[in-house]
Amino acid sequence: MNNLPNCPKCNSEYTYQDGLLFICPECAHEWTNEDKENSENNDALVIKDANGNILNDGDTITVIKDLKIKGSSQVVKVGTKVKNIRLVAEGDHNIDCKIDGIGAMKLKSEFVKKI
């Protein structure tokens, strides 16, 4: 029978092969076997702090630079400790957290270090 892989984008089973490419007729996505293998290896979200340490959900971090808060006159000061972070993949900021005295924030990992 048909041993072709399902589309990695829309999971359609109606894929076909054209040379080295696999093509999905439903969403027009094209990929190779190498693309699929690389994407399976990169599924794990790896976010590193300013020192190159890997961050995980629930870690405690400190801020290494004064960060101005957009639309406010407040500043997140150097050395501010943030507990129980959550990592996110979408957007330009990759850490969601709550900072005491400020509230919910999104931070970039390059401005923090793991404790």
Side-chain angles (χ1 to χ4, degrees):
M1 301 295 282
N2 188 0
N3 292 334
L4 297 175
N6 288 356
C7 176
K9 193 169 186 181
C10 71
N11 204 28
S12 171
E13 60 185 24
Y14 302 110
T15 59
Y16 62 93
Q17 191 169 6
D18 184 20
L20 297 175
L21 288 177
F22 293 104
I23 301 171
C24 175
E26 292 185 8
C27 70
H29 181 66
E30 298 179 352
W31 73 98
T32 64
N33 270 341
E34 293 174 8
D35 292 343
K36 184 167 175 135
E37 290 169 4
N38 290 340
S39 69
E40 288 173 357
N41 294 338
N42 294 333
D43 280 347
L45 180 64
V46 177
I47 297 176
K48 296 183 179 183
D49 69 359
N51 295 333
N53 298 319
I54 296 175
L55 297 172
N56 299 308
D57 286 340
D59 281 347
T60 301
I61 57 173
T62 57
V63 178
I64 61 169
K65 177 182 175 183
D66 282 347
L67 302 173
K68 294 180 183 178
I69 300 173
K70 281 188 177 179
S72 173
S73 61
Q74 289 182 317
V75 175
V76 179
K77 298 277 187 181
V78 171
T80 301
K81 193 178 205 180
V82 182
K83 296 179 183 177
N84 199 19
I85 64 169
R86 188 171 67 97
L87 303 178
V88 293
E90 60 271 349
D92 57 343
H93 295 78
N94 43 18
I95 299 173
D96 278 346
C97 60
K98 278 188 180 176
I99 299 177
D100 293 337
I102 296 174
M105 291 285 302
K106 293 184 178 219
L107 300 173
K108 291 186 177 182
S109 60
E110 64 234 34
F111 300 121
V112 301
K113 71 176 181 177
K114 187 175 183 176
I115 295 180

